[in-house]
Amino acid sequence: MGKLKLTRLTGMLLCGVVTTVQAQEPEGMIRTESGIDLIPGLVTSLRHDDNVIRDKEKSVSSWLSTIAPSLKANLVDGVNNYTLSGALRNGKYFSSSEDDYTDGYLDAEARLSPGSAHQLKFKGTGSWLHEDRGTGVSEGRGLVQDEVTRYNSQNGVVEYEYGNQGSTGKLRANARYYAKDYDNFRDVTQYRDHDLRQLGGGFVYQTGGAFKLVAEVASADINFKSVDLSGARDNQDTNYRLGTEWEMSAITTGILKLGYQKKDFDLEQRENFSGFAWETIVQWQPLTYSGFDLAAGRRAKDVDALNINSDYIVETSYSIGWNHQWSESLTSKLAYEYQTDAYNLLQTSANSLLRREDTNKVITAELTAKPKRWLQVTGFINLEDRTSTLGIIEFDRTVYGVEFKVTL
């Protein structure tokens, strides 16, 4: 589905709002006679980016304005819940029209409870997005392109859980399909079109306290639709995880999963990955008005950029954020992210000429005010610093601006 078709669909949804509105609720919701709640929104921003294409010389800098209308429809039918969401996002660069973009997505989700011990979730998403010049496929070669890289993706997820609140154990099963296809620069982007088919399952043991013990396994077939000069990249990605999930009153919630990942390529000449993989997400709120978010993980992933001889990337990331509420209408956020990408561990350890490791650091500061119930204003600054053993992709970047979020 192209941009024009998505615009028409959004327009039809908005027309539905006009014809079915009965009353505007004070909490920003429109209720219809059919029982469907409509939640429209609008986010606009003005920001300055001093390194639009992410290169060492900072060849392009520009102010940027964005506008993003959205609409969410929600229907509660007894124990079942249905939602449909859509949004557009348009970005205009004042000094670099080559980087203008229009993104969109449509998302549908159903949560069903056919019985007290059965929980089902269906979710489908269609996205029409872009990669900024100098990122993704165009990493290190942003000036070569005269526009952003556009792609579309489809994502479908089915999740099932058996067990009720008082059960000692719960069974989980899931399936996922994902496809990504690029729209332009097909002479090079065709080699990164791919799809993924995944099946997974797990068991949850409820200890009777705040902790749950979790065992999971998931296996995905990843298929690339065209073969690049280095050979086929199709592979089987399997993950085994053991861990815990917890919720201790309002003070702390989180997950910690440790495991083993195996990535087997169909092409024998490629280097397979097998090793330690893990993830953790923790929310800690020692005070009602102040809290911390922590996230970290390690995994092997496929290579996005072109002209890369490596077969996979081992990504290790850490992040911490502090959220503080200064008053009823004023909050702040301070966050730090640190990520390393190591390319083909075995080859790089044996041959220093093949060694590549990237390090990315991002500091984010935000101050949000809510002068009206329907208006939220956020001032922000992002500081990004990337270093690499491949000097051509090193850069630093500063983005600052203000964002306005409007609801009913």
Side-chain angles (χ1 to χ4, degrees):
M1 187 185 296
K3 296 178 183 177
L4 180 58
K5 195 174 290 186
L6 180 62
T7 303
R8 288 175 177 170
L9 179 57
T10 305
M12 291 169 60
L13 290 171
L14 291 174
C15 289
V17 173
V18 174
T19 57
T20 59
V21 170
Q22 299 300 315
Q24 294 191 7
E25 299 296 321
E27 59 270 17
M29 186 182 297
I30 303 172
R31 297 193 182 278
T32 67
E33 290 182 347
S34 62
I36 298 175
D37 298 328
L38 299 173
I39 308 170
L42 179 66
V43 178
T44 65
S45 72
L46 178 66
R47 62 188 68 193
H48 182 269
D49 187 337
D50 75 344
N51 194 355
V52 176
I53 65 170
R54 297 163 176 80
D55 66 348
K56 186 180 295 186
E57 293 77 21
K58 295 189 175 182
S59 305
V60 181
S61 64
S62 178
W63 283 92
L64 161 69
S65 66
T66 65
I67 181 169
S70 64
L71 179 63
K72 178 179 180 180
N74 187 64
L75 173 64
V76 178
D77 181 16
V79 294
N80 302 321
N81 185 274
Y82 307 88
T83 61
L84 177 65
S85 304
L88 292 172
R89 184 181 180 90
N90 178 260
K92 292 289 185 183
Y93 287 81
F94 296 4
S95 306
S96 180
S97 60
E98 295 88 348
D99 296 287
D100 292 350
Y101 64 87
T102 300
D103 292 342
Y105 83 88
L106 190 63
D107 178 283
E109 180 178 307
R111 293 178 179 267
L112 311 176
S113 297
S116 60
H118 302 274
Q119 303 292 327
L120 275 169
K121 174 183 173 182
F122 301 91
K123 185 172 183 178
T125 304
S127 302
W128 300 265
L129 306 173
H130 80 285
E131 293 174 349
D132 292 334
R133 290 195 297 165
T135 67
V137 172
S138 66
E139 179 188 68
R141 51 194 295 272
L143 280 177
V144 176
Q145 297 188 179
D146 58 1
E147 62 177 335
V148 298
T149 310
R150 299 187 304 275
Y151 68 92
N152 64 82
S153 66
Q154 300 82 43
N155 188 45
V157 177
V158 179
E159 296 178 355
Y160 170 74
E161 183 175 273
Y162 176 74
N164 54 41
Q165 194 70 24
S167 301
T168 302
K170 291 184 179 182
L171 292 175
R172 292 175 177 173
N174 61 78
R176 181 190 177 208
Y177 173 79
Y178 174 80
K180 181 177 182 179
D181 297 280
Y182 286 91
D183 295 330
N184 55 348
F185 304 111
R186 295 300 295 158
D187 56 328
V188 292
T189 58
Q190 62 177 308
Y191 302 115
R192 290 300 180 266
D193 293 348
H194 68 278
D195 58 46
L196 174 150
R197 294 172 174 85
Q198 177 177 292
L199 292 175
F203 178 76
V204 180
Y205 176 75
Q206 303 188 119
T207 63
F211 290 88
K212 302 175 183 178
L213 302 179
V214 182
E216 296 176 340
V217 61
S219 184
D221 281 314
I222 302 173
N223 299 294
F224 288 80
K225 300 177 183 179
S226 298
V227 179
D228 63 27
L229 295 178
S230 67
R233 291 182 175 272
D234 298 350
N235 65 90
Q236 183 87 17
D237 196 329
T238 305
N239 280 272
Y240 306 90
R241 301 283 178 88
L242 293 173
T244 182
E245 301 174 357
W246 69 89
E247 183 174 355
M248 300 175 62
S249 66
I251 297 176
T252 178
T253 60
I255 63 170
L256 173 63
K257 297 177 183 178
L258 309 177
Y260 174 80
Q261 180 181 5
K262 189 172 179 59
K263 199 171 187 64
D264 288 326
F265 289 91
D266 294 350
L267 186 65
E268 291 184 1
Q269 288 78 6
R270 292 202 180 277
E271 177 190 318
N272 295 326
F273 170 83
S274 59
F276 186 47
W278 59 281
E279 65 172 326
T280 184
I281 301 172
V282 179
Q283 294 181 321
W284 178 48
Q285 185 126 4
L287 302 171
T288 57
Y289 53 85
S290 192
F292 297 87
D293 300 321
L294 300 98
R298 182 182 191 263
R299 64 174 182 135
K301 65 178 185 179
D302 291 294
V303 176
D304 290 329
L306 296 173
N307 301 321
I308 300 295
N309 292 325
S310 298
D311 305 318
Y312 61 84
I313 303 170
V314 177
E315 176 189 272
T316 306
S317 61
Y318 306 89
S319 67
I320 182 170
W322 172 50
N323 304 283
H324 190 84
Q325 183 173 356
W326 301 95
S327 67
E328 289 187 0
S329 60
L330 187 65
T331 59
S332 66
K333 177 181 178 179
L334 184 63
Y336 175 73
E337 301 174 45
Y338 180 90
Q339 177 178 311
T340 60
D341 290 334
Y343 290 70
N344 276 52
L345 292 180
L346 295 180
Q347 287 187 15
T348 56
S349 61
N351 187 344
S352 61
L353 295 177
L354 296 175
R355 184 175 296 119
R356 175 181 168 184
E357 183 169 326
D358 304 341
T359 300
N360 210 54
K361 306 169 188 174
V362 180
I363 298 174
T364 302
E366 297 179 357
L367 185 64
T368 300
K370 199 166 185 178
K372 300 289 184 180
R373 180 197 56 77
W374 49 267
L375 175 63
Q376 179 176 293
V377 183
T378 301
F380 61 87
I381 183 169
N382 297 323
L383 306 173
E384 182 177 3
D385 179 68
R386 180 172 183 171
T387 58
S388 174
T389 52
L390 185 64
I392 192 174
I393 63 168
E394 291 189 330
F395 67 86
D396 63 83
R397 178 169 171 255
T398 301
V399 180
Y400 57 85
V402 61
E403 179 181 271
F404 302 88
K405 181 178 180 180
V406 181
T407 60
L408 288 180

